[in-house]
Amino acid sequence: MLLQAYGVAGVLSLLIIPVSAKGWFGSEPDPLAAVFAIVLASPWGLPLLGMLPGNSPWLAGILLAACMSFNLMLGIWLLRWLRRRAERSKDRAG
């Protein structure tokens, strides 16, 4: 459930960037709109954003989405590994 919330927060943070930067829906433009997405893409997002050539917002958005996806996949893998480990220890004990 926590990973689902992380995925929803990631998608929403990516959607907030153009809405806030362009001032859509009557919101004031905010230059710090990407902060939420950068935090959710941690620890990979910030170092990789520093290595981007040029100043492309599309490339930065794709990179942030990829970092969030990697974090999500890493979390899924970790939970599956923990579940298999618990099942193996249960089988040995029982």
Side-chain angles (χ1 to χ4, degrees):
M1 192 165 172
L2 183 62
L3 288 175
Q4 291 173 346
Y6 174 80
V8 169
V11 169
L12 290 176
S13 71
L14 289 171
L15 290 175
I16 286 174
I17 294 171
V19 169
S20 182
K22 301 291 183 183
W24 294 341
F25 306 116
S27 67
E28 290 189 28
D30 183 12
L32 299 175
V35 170
F36 300 116
I38 292 171
V39 169
L40 289 172
S42 292
W44 330 107
L46 202 53
L48 291 176
L49 283 173
M51 290 189 274
L52 279 180
N55 209 5
S56 172
W58 289 104
L59 189 57
I62 291 170
L63 181 68
L64 288 174
C67 290
M68 286 181 211
S69 298
F70 180 71
N71 283 342
L72 193 59
M73 290 299 159
L74 195 61
I76 291 169
W77 175 81
L78 180 65
L79 287 178
R80 287 182 181 173
W81 179 76
L82 288 171
R83 185 180 302 149
R84 282 192 306 255
R85 185 175 169 199
E87 288 173 0
R88 277 185 271 161
S89 67
K90 192 180 206 181
D91 290 339
R92 289 180 190 162

